[in-house]
């Protein structure tokens, strides 16, 4: 069974962002599988790095849309994205340094963070972006 499965209850009503979120779900699944299979730190660190890069790409484009629509809560939203990137980078560094971080708890943290962020933060921008012609 898949670790994380996207369903329409996660939709933010903006296609580019939904597509990115689906991709992030898939990447967290890949990470979870690699951790569960007991793959080495090198391999897991590589997956964490890719995940961090994609998250950065996604956050940039989400923030650009919010900026374009003059979204009032952009600064706090941006701060949340930044904090996640910092956590992911720390996980990667710990892995490379051989300081653990290979436990499925890391994938569990990402799952909780992403689903919580989509539901409590991202879904608040749907109507604002839609009313500015972004969907
Ligand atoms: Fe976001």
């Amino acid at each position: 069974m898949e670790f994380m499965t996207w369903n329409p209850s996660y939709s933010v009503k903006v296609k580019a962002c939904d597509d990115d979120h689906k991709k992030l779900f898939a990447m967290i699944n890949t990470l979870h599988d690699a951790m569960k299979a007991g793959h080495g730190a090198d391999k897991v660190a590589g997956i964490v790095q890719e995940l961090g890069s994609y998250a950065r790409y996604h956050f940039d484009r989400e923030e650009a849309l919010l900026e374009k629509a003059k979204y009032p809560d952009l600064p706090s939203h941006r701060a949340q994205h930044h904090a996640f990137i910092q956590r992911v980078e720390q996980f990667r560094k710990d892995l490379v340094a051989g300081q653990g971080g290979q436990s499925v708890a890391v994938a569990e943290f990402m799952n909780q963070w992403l689903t919580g962020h989509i539901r409590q933060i991202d879904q608040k921008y749907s109507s604002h972006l839609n009313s500015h012609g972004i969907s």
Side-chain angles (χ1 to χ4, degrees), residues 17 56-71 74 78 81 125 129 134:
C17 295
R56 200 169 292 140
Y57 160 80
H58 161 61
F59 293 156
D60 282 351
R61 86 167 168 167
E62 190 176 80
E63 288 166 18
L65 293 174
L66 295 174
E67 205 163 344
K68 194 172 158 194
K70 299 188 173 21
Y71 187 61
L74 178 56
R78 208 190 283 276
H81 289 167
Y125 65 54
L129 290 190
I134 299 165

Side-chain angles (χ1 to χ4, degrees), residues 10-87:
Y10 291 114
S11 178
V12 296
K13 312 273 194 283
V14 175
K15 191 179 181 297
C17 295
D18 281 345
D19 288 347
D20 283 349
H21 290 154
K22 288 174 194 171
K23 168 90 177 161
L24 287 168
F25 274 42
M27 293 179 99
I28 295 171
N29 283 335
T30 300
L31 176 67
H32 181 260
D33 289 349
M35 286 170 160
K36 225 176 144 186
H39 286 308
D42 279 3
K43 181 160 183 166
V44 177
I47 298 170
V48 169
Q49 175 149 34
E50 271 178 46
L51 212 154
S53 301
Y54 198 83
R56 200 169 292 140
Y57 160 80
H58 161 61
F59 293 156
D60 282 351
R61 86 167 168 167
E62 190 176 80
E63 288 166 18
L65 293 174
L66 295 174
E67 205 163 344
K68 194 172 158 194
K70 299 188 173 21
Y71 187 61
D73 292 333
L74 178 56
S76 61
H77 198 138
R78 208 190 283 276
Q80 290 240 358
H81 289 167
H82 185 72
F84 180 73
I85 293 295
Q86 299 290 105
R87 288 289 294 269

